Amino acid sequence: MPEQPFFQVPINLSHAATVATRIVSRLVENLPSKHESEALSQAEFLVSELLPYRIDPEEPAPAEAMVVQAHCLDIARHLVTLIREEKLQSDRVGQSVRNLFECLGAGREGSVKGLEAGEDPSSPQRPT
């Protein structure tokens, strides 16, 4: 079965960096004050890994993009696990998580991970 068009999103590391920054902000909003959070630390690490692509929005060579994509997807998967464990899910966090996976070229996986991170399943922005 061919992939649905909304899951066929090219890798965009520059925008992934922007979305990762957004996830940090959304997690901070959900944290109790002065609360230690491994999820927040993981999100900040993801931002640092993507920072070079935010500073220089030129997409890297395909081989480099594939390595960065695989590395950042691993970080993002662990981040979702931590968000669930720390009960930091919200619709906005989930939407941002879905967007991150889309920017990393993993739209179908992002639609699942977004739900795990709290995205409202009936959101009009969700792919069906």
Side-chain angles (χ1 to χ4, degrees), residues 17 22 31 33 39 50 58-59 62 78-80 84 99 109 111:
R22 196 173 299 145
L31 282 171
S33 63
L50 288 166
E58 188 84 19
E59 287 297 311
H78 184 60
L79 173 60
V80 172
R84 281 194 335 261
N99 292 155
E109 183 178 5
S111 69

Side-chain angles (χ1 to χ4, degrees), residues 24-123:
V24 168
S25 297
R26 299 224 158 95
L27 289 175
V28 168
E29 291 169 1
N30 289 355
L31 282 171
S33 63
K34 299 190 183 196
H35 179 76
E36 293 281 327
S37 170
E38 195 175 338
L40 180 58
S41 294
Q42 184 79 355
E44 290 169 338
F45 175 61
L46 181 60
V47 168
S48 71
E49 293 297 285
L50 288 166
L51 184 62
Y53 307 99
R54 187 171 190 188
I55 292 170
D56 181 7
E58 188 84 19
E59 287 297 311
E64 180 182 347
M66 286 176 52
V67 170
V68 173
Q69 173 196 34
H71 176 62
C72 289
L73 283 171
D74 285 344
I75 295 169
R77 290 177 187 119
H78 184 60
L79 173 60
V80 172
T81 299
L82 294 171
I83 288 169
R84 281 194 335 261
E85 287 175 359
E86 294 180 28
K87 298 183 181 10
L88 297 173
Q89 301 102 318
S90 74
D91 185 47
R92 305 233 2 195
V93 169
Q95 288 172 7
S96 295
V97 164
R98 177 176 46 81
N99 292 155
L100 174 66
F101 276 83
E102 290 168 347
C103 291
L104 294 172
R108 181 173 297 285
E109 183 178 5
S111 69
V112 173
K113 295 298 185 186
L115 290 173
E116 290 177 21
E119 185 175 18
D120 181 349
S122 62
S123 171

